[in-house]
Amino acid sequence: MNLFRPVVSSFFILLLSACQLSGNSKDENKSTVQQRAENAYLSQEQAFSRSARVSNVNYNLEFSLSEKSVFAATSHINFQLDNANIPLTIDLNDAQITQLLVNGKAVTPKYNQWFITLPANVLVEGDNKVSVSFTREHSTDGEGLHRFQDPVDDKVYLYSHFEPAAAQQMFALFDQPDLKATYTMSVSAPADWSVITAMKESRVEKKGQVNTWYFAETPKLSPYNFSLHAGPYKVWEDNNAKYPLRLFVRQSVADQVKPSDWFQYTTQGITFFESYYGVDYPFAKYDQVLVPDFLYGAMENAAAITFAEGSFLTNGEMSKSKRERLANVIMHEMAHQWFGNLVTMKWWNGLWLNESFAAFMATLATAEATEFTAAWRTFYAGGKQGAYRADQSVTTHPIEVPIPSTANAFDNIDAITYSKGASALNQLRFLLGKETFRQGIHQYLSENAYKNAVLDDFIGSLAKASNRNLDTWKEQWLYNAGVNTINVRFECVNNVITHFEINQTPDEATQTLREQKIQLALFNIEGNKLNKVKSLPYIYNGKTTKVTELNGVQCPDLVYPNYEDWGFVKVQLDDKSFETAKEHVNKVEDPLLRSMLWQSLWDSVRDGQLALNSYLDVALKNISEEQDYTILGQVIGQLELSKSYLNKIYGTNHTYVKSMALKLEQLAWNNTVHHSGNNMRRWFDAYVNVTSTKDSLTNLHELLTGKKVIDGLVINQDLRWDIIKQLSRFQYNGADKLIAKELESDGSDTGLKSAIEAEVIVPNKATKDNWLAKIHDSNTDMQFSKLRSAMTVLYTSEQNNLSELTAEQRINTLVAIDAANDHTFMRNYGRYLIPMNCSEQSVQRLQKAANTFTDISSGTKRSLLMALQSDERCVMIKNKMNIQ
């Protein structure tokens, strides 16, 4: 099927439901089984056919680990089997099998490097035992059992990452979420290592330089929730909470972690979730491990959560935004311990519910259990805006989509999966009532503990708790793509409302009208304030909803029809409200509403209703008065994006662009020196990002070298690299020597990646060509994490001319690049290196590629279509500009 269609047809919904139902039947495919395709992926049909035969799975795993690039292991797989007269496959990726025993008998492996096929004549009805001994190279791409050698001290660290189906890169198994199993494990490893998994070690046997760690049997887990991490990690422990807490990090970066923050947020989270869910934490301990080269932000492995180092290490005091992100990500992965690990989706079409629910619960827990009480505002300004963008994209998709194979599990992992789903759940909470919603969640977790569940189980629990049929809600919100728009129309006589209505415009592709509970809020200008006259909770449905309750209310200067952000809907301000927002945004006392009005102004630029230069006039006039940290981050981000648009549209030598660049530098600098604390840091980060003129670059250099000091601002190692990258970006004299000198004092993994970025970002054709060749070389021995660093800065917005020199090459080789690389590589390549140069020529080039490239993966086709739409938007913004 075409995953880029905005609507899932009724046929596919029925097909998915049929698959879900058939997956619960032990009679499925007893007589015939479709032969498994000879590739690395498992189809949903094949997975459900296998789980219809296999049950009561237990793994007894033995590992021999060392600092070498190869590990050895034996998987003992115990399971019950129905219909033993047909072959059975066991997943194991790219291993060298040394012995295969089936029910005690040696068997010659029928193995294609993806899975072992066990012939029927070695299988029996009922209890079976399969033992697979093998060796395998560690992975270095972030999946399977990843190996990392620290460039600072040469110590070796291992960690696992299995989602969606990479456990087979570490042991032999049935690698699918609906075959939950128990795991018992023993691990031999160097004596100075720690070994971490779902259970705390039951004992450790010491034998010279090698220890053997033994772990008790786990509760039932899906394979992707299991894990193994090992190495000479630095460990901190906190045994003061209800459950023992541990934090692990590489020794060379241990001084960049503040354990007290981690333990504080973790303790707050466990207390909150146990109370909210009404279900105890399902495991015996809580470990968190910071790991290098991680592909994602974090991963919810049962009781042994992994976090990407780059997001959470800090040289110096962690900024407020980083601490809030830390709290939120801890809460996100913790929410999964119940919703995902305790109760697990049956197949990958349910991944959205895991992630949406965790995103929703993380925000709720951060707001209600930590110091970051404004977490919902952060969600609005960040994740929710990403969801709105994704849902208005040409590549939008329903929240729930069929996933035919593990090859497609991550095809639609985006802001719709996370933040739109979270927003839909949040507005459902308002529609049903907060306590009713909570009761439904409790019922769902209690009834499905240690089992697999499907969407109807979740919706059924909420429907039962609310005594309400939610089929229509499910159809409207989960099976139809696109974001709807609402606006209000009102009439006034003698300064009072005589008519008020909410108008809903559906997404063009789906024409779906939705029911939603929102708050209407009316405001009037009084002196130097915009005061709220009235707020009214209201459920709208259909194209037009009349609100007679507002008749007789004072005629407003501004109406906001999604006050306090209950709903997931695009707000189009009426003309009077739009003018009020432009002129009086700083008179709004409510910070969430102020944030939403700023967003409405920026959305009007993206939609072609407001010229970018007009937005900049409003922003430059008002933003210096803003003291709210979250709103500052939101608007500064819009200003930085505006500068990128101007660079692409006109180039850096255009008079207006030069003038605006100077104004943005002065704005950021003046606010840096006139603020303190977190707001100072936010403005200074902006100053580093927008600086391009000679005087400001000299200013940065003097701050870097200590010739100039700003009271209250610490130029830590992270900032030092940021400054060096910006100096290199604009070829400040001696920037190359600064890179080499900084590497002498910071040869860490972060330092090496920062140095690569500082080298790659320089506007030099030979440098660009050299690094593009490295990225394109499928036989390179450079780690992917370093190639990814290079991709992010190879062509910046002001380097359009350099980008254009290789644009045809990148487009013409896209099909070959896609064929030669995996989805992880292409996700990053598609984001950063498909050329978008904001011209009619660029749009036509992308359009031609989108029309003719039929032999590319669905993920790369998605990236190509998104690039085309972004380029078209840039051209639209260019045409809307009203400067000479």
Side-chain angles (χ1 to χ4, degrees):
M1 66 182 176
N2 182 359
L3 291 176
F4 295 97
R5 290 180 63 187
V7 182
V8 177
S9 69
S10 298
F11 167 77
F12 282 122
I13 293 171
L14 290 172
L15 175 62
L16 178 62
S17 299
C19 287
Q20 290 172 338
L21 289 172
S22 66
N24 291 325
S25 171
K26 284 289 179 182
D27 295 324
E28 181 191 17
N29 292 327
K30 275 205 166 188
S31 57
T32 60
V33 174
Q34 183 183 33
Q35 185 174 357
R36 186 168 170 181
E38 295 283 330
N39 61 46
Y41 305 109
L42 181 69
S43 73
Q44 182 188 36
E45 182 181 7
Q46 292 158 353
F48 284 4
S49 174
R50 186 161 65 177
S51 60
R53 301 173 61 202
V54 173
S55 61
N56 296 330
V57 183
N58 165 261
Y59 299 102
N60 188 339
L61 307 174
E62 302 170 4
F63 291 93
S64 178
L65 307 178
S66 69
E67 294 184 340
K68 296 179 181 179
S69 64
V70 175
F71 67 94
T74 298
S75 297
H76 302 288
I77 313 170
N78 301 284
F79 59 95
Q80 286 189 319
L81 181 68
D82 289 348
N83 194 12
N85 62 355
I86 53 179
L88 179 70
T89 62
I90 293 176
D91 305 303
L92 180 64
N93 178 275
D94 201 22
Q96 290 72 51
I97 298 175
T98 56
Q99 185 180 54
L100 173 63
L101 299 175
V102 182
N103 294 319
K105 297 180 181 179
V107 174
T108 301
K110 182 183 178 183
Y111 180 50
N112 59 8
Q113 298 301 306
W114 297 307
F115 54 86
I116 303 164
T117 301
L118 303 179
N121 62 4
V122 299
L123 299 169
V124 297
E125 290 286 323
D127 293 336
N128 285 260
K129 180 175 182 178
V130 176
S131 296
V132 187
S133 298
F134 63 93
T135 60
R136 191 189 191 279
E137 288 280 339
H138 285 285
S139 68
T140 57
D141 62 359
E143 293 190 331
L145 189 56
H146 180 93
R147 179 181 183 272
F148 175 86
Q149 187 164 11
D150 195 320
V152 174
D153 55 19
D154 291 329
K155 294 183 185 297
V156 171
Y157 295 87
L158 312 177
Y159 65 86
S160 68
H161 181 82
F162 296 157
E163 190 178 31
Q168 61 195 269
Q169 296 183 36
M170 194 180 90
F171 61 101
L173 76 159
F174 304 113
D175 203 353
Q176 58 191 79
D178 66 333
L179 277 174
K180 281 195 162 186
T182 57
Y183 302 76
T184 306
M185 185 166 64
S186 64
V187 180
S188 295
D192 64 338
W193 282 20
S194 295
V195 179
I196 309 128
T197 185
M199 304 294 288
K200 186 81 162 58
E201 64 274 8
S202 56
R203 73 181 193 278
V204 179
E205 293 182 357
K206 299 184 178 183
K207 298 178 181 178
Q209 299 301 309
V210 175
N211 288 351
T212 301
W213 302 63
Y214 295 90
F215 299 90
E217 186 176 82
T218 69
K220 279 193 172 183
L221 297 172
S222 288
Y224 82 94
N225 299 139
F226 185 65
S227 64
L228 170 60
H229 323 302
Y233 287 98
K234 167 73 175 177
V235 58
W236 293 273
E237 298 187 37
D238 183 346
N239 295 309
N240 297 316
K242 184 176 179 181
Y243 305 93
L245 310 178
R246 296 189 297 180
L247 178 65
F248 298 84
V249 69
R250 286 187 295 128
Q251 292 185 32
S252 67
V253 296
D255 60 352
Q256 298 179 48
V257 175
K258 187 178 178 183
S260 59
D261 284 344
W262 289 78
F263 291 143
Q264 176 186 343
Y265 301 141
T266 303
T267 300
Q268 290 170 336
I270 290 176
T271 302
F272 175 83
F273 284 117
E274 286 195 329
S275 174
Y276 187 90
Y277 291 145
V279 177
D280 284 347
Y281 171 64
F283 306 106
K285 51 91 178 176
Y286 202 95
D287 290 340
Q288 297 173 106
V289 191
L290 278 79
V291 297
D293 290 350
F294 204 58
L295 295 174
Y296 311 102
M299 177 62 200
E300 66 268 18
N301 316 300
I305 300 92
T306 42
F307 294 80
E309 278 183 352
S311 299
F312 304 108
L313 296 178
T314 181
N315 288 284
E317 185 67 25
M318 187 177 277
S319 67
K320 181 180 178 181
S321 58
K322 267 198 169 185
R323 283 192 294 110
E324 183 174 358
R325 172 167 165 72
L326 171 61
N328 185 272
V329 176
I330 286 175
M331 300 302 175
H332 182 107
E333 306 311 324
M334 189 180 294
H336 277 308
Q337 302 304 307
W338 286 265
F339 206 107
N341 295 1
L342 178 66
V343 181
T344 313
M345 62 198 171
K346 183 174 177 61
W347 183 246
W348 297 107
N349 60 294
L351 182 59
W352 78 266
L353 185 55
N354 270 12
E355 298 301 347
S356 294
F357 189 82
F360 161 74
M361 286 302 304
T363 308
L364 183 66
T366 304
E368 297 192 7
T370 76
E371 70 212 69
F372 304 106
T373 55
W376 283 110
R377 292 204 287 116
T378 303
F379 175 77
Y380 169 79
K384 195 167 189 177
Q385 295 312 312
Y388 283 135
R389 302 289 177 262
D391 214 17
Q392 295 172 79
S393 168
V394 66
T395 58
T396 188
H397 56 85
I399 293 176
E400 167 105 0
V401 294
I403 303 295
S405 147
T406 54
N408 310 107
F410 281 179
D411 280 356
N412 294 301
I413 293 296
D414 56 14
I416 293 174
T417 307
Y418 283 76
S419 298
K420 181 184 178 180
S423 301
L425 292 174
N426 193 36
Q427 60 93 0
L428 182 59
R429 180 175 66 125
F430 286 111
L431 186 66
L432 301 183
K434 294 180 180 180
E435 180 56 25
T436 299
F437 183 84
R438 191 198 67 78
Q439 289 172 0
I441 299 304
H442 168 76
Q443 180 175 313
Y444 172 77
L445 293 173
S446 299
E447 292 182 355
N448 296 285
Y450 302 107
K451 301 176 185 176
N452 293 95
V454 296
L455 175 62
D456 283 346
D457 296 317
F458 177 72
I459 295 297
S461 293
L462 293 172
K464 183 177 180 181
S466 62
N467 195 28
R468 173 175 174 151
N469 188 306
L470 293 175
D471 289 347
T472 299
W473 182 90
K474 181 175 67 172
E475 179 70 24
Q476 290 177 352
W477 285 99
L478 305 183
Y479 292 128
N480 286 281
V483 57
N484 289 5
T485 301
I486 58 171
N487 59 52
V488 302
R489 188 174 72 84
F490 58 92
E491 298 171 3
C492 298
V493 176
N494 296 326
N495 202 36
V496 297
I497 296 173
T498 57
H499 177 81
F500 194 105
E501 64 186 35
I502 304 168
N503 297 308
Q504 179 181 188
T505 305
D507 178 84
E508 289 184 5
T510 67
Q511 292 298 307
T512 299
L513 294 170
R514 297 182 170 100
E515 178 185 42
Q516 191 164 201
K517 188 174 184 178
I518 57 169
Q519 273 196 101
L520 297 164
L522 285 61
F523 299 83
N524 274 17
I525 300 169
E526 296 180 12
N528 199 39
K529 292 183 179 180
L530 194 66
N531 290 331
K532 184 172 67 175
V533 176
K534 187 176 182 62
S535 61
L536 178 69
Y538 215 82
I539 296 175
Y540 69 84
N541 199 352
K543 288 186 176 181
T544 301
T545 304
K546 293 182 179 180
V547 187
T548 58
E549 291 88 339
L550 292 177
N551 290 347
V553 175
Q554 180 183 355
C555 196
D557 292 313
L558 182 145
V559 177
Y560 200 82
N562 189 22
Y563 185 57
E564 295 188 335
D565 197 33
W566 288 8
F568 184 82
V569 65
K570 187 174 179 181
V571 171
Q572 184 180 67
L573 295 175
D574 63 273
D575 291 343
K576 184 176 182 180
S577 297
F578 187 72
E579 291 303 315
T580 300
K582 283 199 299 183
E583 294 299 320
H584 304 287
V585 64
N586 277 336
K587 294 181 180 179
V588 178
E589 290 187 337
D590 183 330
L592 177 56
L593 178 60
R594 201 160 66 248
S595 174
M596 297 173 96
L597 293 176
W598 273 113
Q599 193 61 49
S600 290
L601 294 173
W602 180 248
D603 285 345
S604 65
V605 174
R606 287 175 50 86
D607 294 342
Q609 298 168 347
L610 181 69
L612 177 60
N613 54 296
S614 297
Y615 166 82
L616 286 168
D617 290 342
V618 174
L620 291 175
K621 176 183 176 182
N622 290 285
I623 192 57
S624 291
E625 296 180 35
E626 185 58 66
Q627 299 300 312
D628 183 84
Y629 182 79
T630 302
I631 297 175
L632 274 181
Q634 174 188 1
V635 179
I636 286 171
Q638 293 166 1
L639 289 172
E640 291 174 353
L641 187 53
S642 297
K643 188 172 190 288
S644 295
Y645 274 129
L646 292 177
N647 288 338
K648 285 202 167 192
I649 290 170
Y650 296 113
T652 55
N653 291 323
H654 189 278
T655 301
Y656 177 80
V657 178
K658 284 183 176 180
S659 172
M660 186 54 62
L662 185 59
K663 287 179 180 178
L664 290 174
E665 286 178 357
Q666 291 171 341
L667 174 77
W669 177 255
N670 290 337
N671 280 289
T672 296
V673 297
H674 289 111
H675 282 84
S676 61
N678 288 302
N679 283 5
M680 171 192 276
R681 175 62 188 271
R682 181 140 267 180
W683 276 113
F684 184 71
D685 287 345
Y687 181 67
V688 174
N689 290 336
V690 301
T691 287
S692 58
T693 65
K694 183 178 180 180
D695 287 346
S696 287
L697 291 169
T698 299
N699 200 31
L700 280 182
H701 183 258
E702 290 179 349
L703 288 165
L704 178 73
T705 58
K707 293 180 180 179
K708 181 175 288 188
V709 175
I710 303 175
D711 288 342
L713 181 69
V714 177
I715 307 296
N716 60 29
Q717 187 61 63
D718 296 333
L719 275 178
R720 291 184 66 81
W721 277 118
D722 288 343
I723 291 171
I724 290 171
K725 281 183 271 189
Q726 196 70 1
L727 295 174
S728 182
R729 179 176 180 173
F730 293 98
Q731 291 185 297
Y732 187 80
N733 187 38
D736 55 338
K737 296 177 181 177
L738 290 173
I739 299 171
K741 183 178 179 181
E742 202 67 26
L743 265 179
E744 292 176 3
S745 58
D746 180 20
S748 67
D749 180 58
T750 302
L752 291 172
K753 291 172 183 172
S754 296
I756 288 173
E757 292 175 9
E759 177 187 341
V760 173
I761 205 170
V762 66
N764 176 278
K765 181 180 183 301
T767 300
K768 303 294 185 188
D769 291 348
N770 178 45
W771 276 98
L772 184 61
K774 290 180 181 179
I775 292 166
H776 283 175
D777 181 7
S778 59
N779 295 317
T780 182
D781 57 0
M782 181 173 285
Q783 289 179 325
F784 172 67
S785 61
K786 292 181 172 57
L787 289 176
R788 181 172 56 184
S789 295
M791 289 183 198
T792 62
V793 296
L794 190 58
Y795 298 108
T796 54
S797 64
E798 76 283 351
Q799 296 174 1
N800 242 15
N801 291 338
L802 287 169
S803 175
E804 190 60 38
L805 293 177
T806 62
E808 293 288 345
Q809 174 193 354
R810 282 178 278 150
I811 285 294
N812 292 338
T813 59
L814 185 61
V815 174
I817 296 295
D818 181 60
N821 293 280
D822 63 17
H823 64 94
T824 302
F825 180 97
M826 291 310 301
R827 188 183 302 120
N828 288 271
Y829 190 93
R831 179 178 180 183
Y832 296 111
L833 290 182
I834 292 179
M836 298 172 284
N837 294 344
C838 199
S839 66
E840 294 292 348
Q841 175 190 359
S842 178
V843 168
Q844 291 171 8
R845 180 168 55 218
L846 290 170
Q847 186 67 68
K848 180 180 178 181
N851 292 341
T852 58
F853 290 176
T854 57
D855 295 328
I856 57 176
S857 64
S858 58
T860 301
K861 182 63 177 289
R862 177 185 173 91
S863 295
L864 182 59
L865 292 172
M866 291 173 68
L868 171 60
Q869 188 173 32
S870 295
D871 226 18
E872 289 174 333
R873 178 178 295 108
C874 188
V875 171
M876 177 195 69
I877 290 172
K878 174 182 179 179
N879 294 335
K880 184 69 176 180
M881 294 280 286
N882 52 17
I883 62 172
Q884 298 300 318

